Amino acid sequence: MANVENIVKIMNFHSLLRVDKAKRKAEKYFSVEKELTTMISQILYNRNLNIDLKILDEADTGVTLNFYLGNDLGFCGNFNSLVRKQAEENTNVQKVMIGKKIFSDSKDVILNISKEDFYQDFTPIEEIIYPLIKTKRLKELNVIYNHYYNVNDIRLEVKRIFPTDNAKEEVDTDTDYVIETDVNQVLTQLILIYLCYQLKILEANSWASENVMRERTTRESLSKIEEIEEEKEKEERKERKYQAFKKQISNYRRVGEQDGDR
């Protein structure tokens, strides 16, 4: 029990160190995510680009690509199990699993990548997305993760980031663009950058959820451990009192037997 308590204390300490920073980072990105989506929607739904058939819109038939955001560590309640369950329920999609705790050997998983590697090198993910955009085979791209709204509101969500969920009437589609280079190359790179930034923004949000849930779980675990320890101490005190009482009774009997012999 002592070893378990020490491990939980360490995880609680780490979550306390990270939770405020993670929350601030996620909250900072709330408005950035909205602006980024609006910007790319203005391009995807642009009237002039669509008239010229230059826009790289989603494919009617093609690949649905799902990213699942888990983590590398434990002690965060059902954070990973919810994401893993969603992955098991999704069929006819290609899957990228981010986080060691949700790694899968399922045949539809095309990449397992740890959170540490996700932070250090984004190239493997770019190499999956880029060919699909360039060849216009990307039908849909979804991110499944635990969304942080506030410390009391964390929900599993499926966020579609391609095509965007903005309705066409919600964005300015009349802006005219002057492009003096390969339009398809520019748009391909632009959409790739947008998708990569969206993934990183949603991962930052997931990271906040992870640390909030870990802090809550470890705090509750420490409280439960304290209750167990207190109950154990009560039982030990009762046992010591019982043994002392038995010894006292035994002594009384021995004294009584000695008096009777006299």
PDB file of all heavy atoms in Angstrom, residues 49-72:
ATOM      1  N   LEU A  49     -12.967  30.551 -56.615  1.00  0.00           N
ATOM      2  CA  LEU A  49     -12.132  29.362 -56.724  1.00  0.00           C
ATOM      3  C   LEU A  49     -12.953  28.149 -57.140  1.00  0.00           C
ATOM      4  O   LEU A  49     -12.482  27.294 -57.895  1.00  0.00           O
ATOM      5  CB  LEU A  49     -11.420  29.090 -55.395  1.00  0.00           C
ATOM      6  CG  LEU A  49     -10.293  30.073 -55.028  1.00  0.00           C
ATOM      7  CD1 LEU A  49      -9.774  29.764 -53.637  1.00  0.00           C
ATOM      8  CD2 LEU A  49      -9.163  30.022 -56.038  1.00  0.00           C
ATOM      9  N   ASN A  50     -14.184  28.090 -56.662  1.00  0.00           N
ATOM     10  CA  ASN A  50     -15.052  26.975 -57.034  1.00  0.00           C
ATOM     11  C   ASN A  50     -15.485  27.070 -58.491  1.00  0.00           C
ATOM     12  O   ASN A  50     -15.612  26.056 -59.179  1.00  0.00           O
ATOM     13  CB  ASN A  50     -16.275  26.925 -56.117  1.00  0.00           C
ATOM     14  CG  ASN A  50     -15.984  26.172 -54.826  1.00  0.00           C
ATOM     15  OD1 ASN A  50     -15.940  24.957 -54.811  1.00  0.00           O
ATOM     16  ND2 ASN A  50     -15.757  26.914 -53.753  1.00  0.00           N
ATOM     17  N   ILE A  51     -15.732  28.304 -58.961  1.00  0.00           N
ATOM     18  CA  ILE A  51     -16.089  28.488 -60.375  1.00  0.00           C
ATOM     19  C   ILE A  51     -14.946  28.029 -61.273  1.00  0.00           C
ATOM     20  O   ILE A  51     -15.151  27.388 -62.305  1.00  0.00           O
ATOM     21  CB  ILE A  51     -16.436  29.976 -60.659  1.00  0.00           C
ATOM     22  CG1 ILE A  51     -17.785  30.320 -60.006  1.00  0.00           C
ATOM     23  CG2 ILE A  51     -16.498  30.238 -62.165  1.00  0.00           C
ATOM     24  CD1 ILE A  51     -18.130  31.793 -60.082  1.00  0.00           C
ATOM     25  N   ASP A  52     -13.708  28.338 -60.844  1.00  0.00           N
ATOM     26  CA  ASP A  52     -12.530  27.948 -61.629  1.00  0.00           C
ATOM     27  C   ASP A  52     -12.125  26.492 -61.411  1.00  0.00           C
ATOM     28  O   ASP A  52     -11.144  26.014 -61.996  1.00  0.00           O
ATOM     29  CB  ASP A  52     -11.338  28.844 -61.259  1.00  0.00           C
ATOM     30  CG  ASP A  52     -11.574  30.286 -61.677  1.00  0.00           C
ATOM     31  OD1 ASP A  52     -12.404  30.505 -62.579  1.00  0.00           O
ATOM     32  OD2 ASP A  52     -10.939  31.180 -61.092  1.00  0.00           O
ATOM     33  N   LEU A  53     -12.884  25.808 -60.552  1.00  0.00           N
ATOM     34  CA  LEU A  53     -12.607  24.397 -60.242  1.00  0.00           C
ATOM     35  C   LEU A  53     -11.185  24.200 -59.706  1.00  0.00           C
ATOM     36  O   LEU A  53     -10.520  23.212 -59.984  1.00  0.00           O
ATOM     37  CB  LEU A  53     -12.824  23.511 -61.483  1.00  0.00           C
ATOM     38  CG  LEU A  53     -14.238  23.515 -62.074  1.00  0.00           C
ATOM     39  CD1 LEU A  53     -14.282  22.652 -63.327  1.00  0.00           C
ATOM     40  CD2 LEU A  53     -15.257  23.022 -61.058  1.00  0.00           C
ATOM     41  N   LYS A  54     -10.731  25.188 -58.941  1.00  0.00           N
ATOM     42  CA  LYS A  54      -9.389  25.118 -58.385  1.00  0.00           C
ATOM     43  C   LYS A  54      -9.370  24.589 -56.953  1.00  0.00           C
ATOM     44  O   LYS A  54      -8.336  24.199 -56.442  1.00  0.00           O
ATOM     45  CB  LYS A  54      -8.748  26.513 -58.401  1.00  0.00           C
ATOM     46  CG  LYS A  54      -8.545  27.089 -59.793  1.00  0.00           C
ATOM     47  CD  LYS A  54      -7.538  26.295 -60.587  1.00  0.00           C
ATOM     48  CE  LYS A  54      -7.223  26.970 -61.919  1.00  0.00           C
ATOM     49  NZ  LYS A  54      -6.274  26.163 -62.715  1.00  0.00           N
ATOM     50  N   ILE A  55     -10.525  24.608 -56.309  1.00  0.00           N
ATOM     51  CA  ILE A  55     -10.554  24.289 -54.891  1.00  0.00           C
ATOM     52  C   ILE A  55     -10.374  22.786 -54.655  1.00  0.00           C
ATOM     53  O   ILE A  55     -10.859  21.965 -55.438  1.00  0.00           O
ATOM     54  CB  ILE A  55     -11.863  24.777 -54.226  1.00  0.00           C
ATOM     55  CG1 ILE A  55     -11.713  24.824 -52.716  1.00  0.00           C
ATOM     56  CG2 ILE A  55     -13.038  23.903 -54.625  1.00  0.00           C
ATOM     57  CD1 ILE A  55     -10.704  25.838 -52.268  1.00  0.00           C
ATOM     58  N   LEU A  56      -9.683  22.449 -53.600  1.00  0.00           N
ATOM     59  CA  LEU A  56      -9.482  21.049 -53.242  1.00  0.00           C
ATOM     60  C   LEU A  56     -10.543  20.644 -52.222  1.00  0.00           C
ATOM     61  O   LEU A  56     -10.309  20.637 -51.030  1.00  0.00           O
ATOM     62  CB  LEU A  56      -8.077  20.846 -52.654  1.00  0.00           C
ATOM     63  CG  LEU A  56      -6.914  21.104 -53.598  1.00  0.00           C
ATOM     64  CD1 LEU A  56      -5.596  20.952 -52.847  1.00  0.00           C
ATOM     65  CD2 LEU A  56      -6.956  20.168 -54.776  1.00  0.00           C
ATOM     66  N   ASP A  57     -11.716  20.334 -52.700  1.00  0.00           N
ATOM     67  CA  ASP A  57     -12.814  19.984 -51.811  1.00  0.00           C
ATOM     68  C   ASP A  57     -12.720  18.513 -51.434  1.00  0.00           C
ATOM     69  O   ASP A  57     -11.908  17.761 -51.968  1.00  0.00           O
ATOM     70  CB  ASP A  57     -14.148  20.283 -52.504  1.00  0.00           C
ATOM     71  CG  ASP A  57     -15.250  20.590 -51.501  1.00  0.00           C
ATOM     72  OD1 ASP A  57     -15.029  20.355 -50.299  1.00  0.00           O
ATOM     73  OD2 ASP A  57     -16.310  21.074 -51.920  1.00  0.00           O
ATOM     74  N   GLU A  58     -13.612  18.095 -50.512  1.00  0.00           N
ATOM     75  CA  GLU A  58     -13.587  16.705 -50.088  1.00  0.00           C
ATOM     76  C   GLU A  58     -14.030  15.780 -51.212  1.00  0.00           C
ATOM     77  O   GLU A  58     -14.799  16.172 -52.098  1.00  0.00           O
ATOM     78  CB  GLU A  58     -14.502  16.498 -48.876  1.00  0.00           C
ATOM     79  CG  GLU A  58     -15.990  16.597 -49.153  1.00  0.00           C
ATOM     80  CD  GLU A  58     -16.517  18.020 -49.047  1.00  0.00           C
ATOM     81  OE1 GLU A  58     -15.707  18.954 -49.087  1.00  0.00           O
ATOM     82  OE2 GLU A  58     -17.758  18.158 -48.949  1.00  0.00           O
ATOM     83  N   ALA A  59     -13.533  14.549 -51.193  1.00  0.00           N
ATOM     84  CA  ALA A  59     -13.901  13.560 -52.203  1.00  0.00           C
ATOM     85  C   ALA A  59     -15.249  12.948 -51.845  1.00  0.00           C
ATOM     86  O   ALA A  59     -15.552  12.724 -50.677  1.00  0.00           O
ATOM     87  CB  ALA A  59     -12.832  12.480 -52.277  1.00  0.00           C
ATOM     88  N   ASP A  60     -16.069  12.702 -52.897  1.00  0.00           N
ATOM     89  CA  ASP A  60     -17.360  12.040 -52.653  1.00  0.00           C
ATOM     90  C   ASP A  60     -17.143  10.627 -52.155  1.00  0.00           C
ATOM     91  O   ASP A  60     -17.863  10.128 -51.294  1.00  0.00           O
ATOM     92  CB  ASP A  60     -18.194  12.038 -53.943  1.00  0.00           C
ATOM     93  CG  ASP A  60     -18.626  13.436 -54.350  1.00  0.00           C
ATOM     94  OD1 ASP A  60     -18.786  14.282 -53.450  1.00  0.00           O
ATOM     95  OD2 ASP A  60     -18.786  13.686 -55.558  1.00  0.00           O
ATOM     96  N   THR A  61     -16.184   9.967 -52.738  1.00  0.00           N
ATOM     97  CA  THR A  61     -15.781   8.638 -52.264  1.00  0.00           C
ATOM     98  C   THR A  61     -14.273   8.679 -52.045  1.00  0.00           C
ATOM     99  O   THR A  61     -13.539   9.206 -52.876  1.00  0.00           O
ATOM    100  CB  THR A  61     -16.117   7.544 -53.295  1.00  0.00           C
ATOM    101  OG1 THR A  61     -15.446   7.837 -54.517  1.00  0.00           O
ATOM    102  CG2 THR A  61     -17.625   7.470 -53.528  1.00  0.00           C
ATOM    103  N   GLY A  62     -13.839   8.169 -50.972  1.00  0.00           N
ATOM    104  CA  GLY A  62     -12.409   8.211 -50.677  1.00  0.00           C
ATOM    105  C   GLY A  62     -12.152   7.733 -49.271  1.00  0.00           C
ATOM    106  O   GLY A  62     -12.913   6.937 -48.708  1.00  0.00           O
ATOM    107  N   VAL A  63     -11.104   8.258 -48.678  1.00  0.00           N
ATOM    108  CA  VAL A  63     -10.632   7.794 -47.366  1.00  0.00           C
ATOM    109  C   VAL A  63     -11.205   8.669 -46.252  1.00  0.00           C
ATOM    110  O   VAL A  63     -11.128   9.896 -46.316  1.00  0.00           O
ATOM    111  CB  VAL A  63      -9.101   7.823 -47.313  1.00  0.00           C
ATOM    112  CG1 VAL A  63      -8.609   7.456 -45.911  1.00  0.00           C
ATOM    113  CG2 VAL A  63      -8.510   6.878 -48.349  1.00  0.00           C
ATOM    114  N   THR A  64     -11.786   8.017 -45.252  1.00  0.00           N
ATOM    115  CA  THR A  64     -12.125   8.701 -44.004  1.00  0.00           C
ATOM    116  C   THR A  64     -11.018   8.396 -43.012  1.00  0.00           C
ATOM    117  O   THR A  64     -10.736   7.234 -42.710  1.00  0.00           O
ATOM    118  CB  THR A  64     -13.476   8.212 -43.454  1.00  0.00           C
ATOM    119  OG1 THR A  64     -14.515   8.567 -44.373  1.00  0.00           O
ATOM    120  CG2 THR A  64     -13.773   8.866 -42.105  1.00  0.00           C
ATOM    121  N   LEU A  65     -10.375   9.448 -42.548  1.00  0.00           N
ATOM    122  CA  LEU A  65      -9.212   9.311 -41.668  1.00  0.00           C
ATOM    123  C   LEU A  65      -9.574   9.819 -40.279  1.00  0.00           C
ATOM    124  O   LEU A  65     -10.012  10.956 -40.122  1.00  0.00           O
ATOM    125  CB  LEU A  65      -8.041  10.118 -42.241  1.00  0.00           C
ATOM    126  CG  LEU A  65      -6.696  10.055 -41.515  1.00  0.00           C
ATOM    127  CD1 LEU A  65      -6.158   8.632 -41.479  1.00  0.00           C
ATOM    128  CD2 LEU A  65      -5.691  10.988 -42.198  1.00  0.00           C
ATOM    129  N   ASN A  66      -9.415   8.964 -39.276  1.00  0.00           N
ATOM    130  CA  ASN A  66      -9.722   9.320 -37.892  1.00  0.00           C
ATOM    131  C   ASN A  66      -8.459   9.342 -37.035  1.00  0.00           C
ATOM    132  O   ASN A  66      -7.664   8.392 -37.071  1.00  0.00           O
ATOM    133  CB  ASN A  66     -10.706   8.322 -37.275  1.00  0.00           C
ATOM    134  CG  ASN A  66     -12.132   8.540 -37.738  1.00  0.00           C
ATOM    135  OD1 ASN A  66     -12.398   9.376 -38.602  1.00  0.00           O
ATOM    136  ND2 ASN A  66     -13.057   7.774 -37.182  1.00  0.00           N
ATOM    137  N   PHE A  67      -8.294  10.425 -36.281  1.00  0.00           N
ATOM    138  CA  PHE A  67      -7.210  10.533 -35.307  1.00  0.00           C
ATOM    139  C   PHE A  67      -7.799  10.377 -33.907  1.00  0.00           C
ATOM    140  O   PHE A  67      -8.785  11.042 -33.571  1.00  0.00           O
ATOM    141  CB  PHE A  67      -6.511  11.888 -35.421  1.00  0.00           C
ATOM    142  CG  PHE A  67      -5.604  12.002 -36.613  1.00  0.00           C
ATOM    143  CD1 PHE A  67      -6.113  12.275 -37.868  1.00  0.00           C
ATOM    144  CD2 PHE A  67      -4.235  11.824 -36.473  1.00  0.00           C
ATOM    145  CE1 PHE A  67      -5.275  12.373 -38.967  1.00  0.00           C
ATOM    146  CE2 PHE A  67      -3.388  11.930 -37.565  1.00  0.00           C
ATOM    147  CZ  PHE A  67      -3.915  12.195 -38.821  1.00  0.00           C
ATOM    148  N   TYR A  68      -7.191   9.517 -33.103  1.00  0.00           N
ATOM    149  CA  TYR A  68      -7.653   9.273 -31.734  1.00  0.00           C
ATOM    150  C   TYR A  68      -6.579   9.762 -30.774  1.00  0.00           C
ATOM    151  O   TYR A  68      -5.427   9.321 -30.840  1.00  0.00           O
ATOM    152  CB  TYR A  68      -7.928   7.781 -31.527  1.00  0.00           C
ATOM    153  CG  TYR A  68      -8.993   7.246 -32.463  1.00  0.00           C
ATOM    154  CD1 TYR A  68      -8.652   6.794 -33.743  1.00  0.00           C
ATOM    155  CD2 TYR A  68     -10.328   7.214 -32.091  1.00  0.00           C
ATOM    156  CE1 TYR A  68      -9.618   6.322 -34.616  1.00  0.00           C
ATOM    157  CE2 TYR A  68     -11.299   6.736 -32.959  1.00  0.00           C
ATOM    158  CZ  TYR A  68     -10.938   6.293 -34.221  1.00  0.00           C
ATOM    159  OH  TYR A  68     -11.903   5.852 -35.086  1.00  0.00           O
ATOM    160  N   LEU A  69      -6.952  10.694 -29.897  1.00  0.00           N
ATOM    161  CA  LEU A  69      -5.991  11.299 -28.974  1.00  0.00           C
ATOM    162  C   LEU A  69      -6.111  10.672 -27.589  1.00  0.00           C
ATOM    163  O   LEU A  69      -7.089  10.896 -26.870  1.00  0.00           O
ATOM    164  CB  LEU A  69      -6.228  12.811 -28.882  1.00  0.00           C
ATOM    165  CG  LEU A  69      -6.143  13.596 -30.198  1.00  0.00           C
ATOM    166  CD1 LEU A  69      -6.350  15.090 -29.941  1.00  0.00           C
ATOM    167  CD2 LEU A  69      -4.813  13.359 -30.891  1.00  0.00           C
ATOM    168  N   GLY A  70      -5.127   9.878 -27.231  1.00  0.00           N
ATOM    169  CA  GLY A  70      -5.045   9.317 -25.889  1.00  0.00           C
ATOM    170  C   GLY A  70      -3.838   9.922 -25.182  1.00  0.00           C
ATOM    171  O   GLY A  70      -3.515  11.085 -25.378  1.00  0.00           O
ATOM    172  N   ASN A  71      -3.137   9.127 -24.381  1.00  0.00           N
ATOM    173  CA  ASN A  71      -1.914   9.626 -23.747  1.00  0.00           C
ATOM    174  C   ASN A  71      -0.955   8.478 -23.450  1.00  0.00           C
ATOM    175  O   ASN A  71      -1.260   7.313 -23.735  1.00  0.00           O
ATOM    176  CB  ASN A  71      -2.239  10.432 -22.482  1.00  0.00           C
ATOM    177  CG  ASN A  71      -2.923   9.605 -21.416  1.00  0.00           C
ATOM    178  OD1 ASN A  71      -2.689   8.404 -21.278  1.00  0.00           O
ATOM    179  ND2 ASN A  71      -3.783  10.223 -20.633  1.00  0.00           N
ATOM    180  N   ASP A  72       0.192   8.826 -22.901  1.00  0.00           N
ATOM    181  CA  ASP A  72       1.229   7.836 -22.598  1.00  0.00           C
ATOM    182  C   ASP A  72       1.190   7.376 -21.143  1.00  0.00           C
ATOM    183  O   ASP A  72       1.867   6.408 -20.797  1.00  0.00           O
ATOM    184  CB  ASP A  72       2.624   8.411 -22.876  1.00  0.00           C
ATOM    185  CG  ASP A  72       2.876   8.631 -24.367  1.00  0.00           C
ATOM    186  OD1 ASP A  72       2.082   8.128 -25.180  1.00  0.00           O
ATOM    187  OD2 ASP A  72       3.863   9.312 -24.707  1.00  0.00           O
TER     188      ASP A  72
END
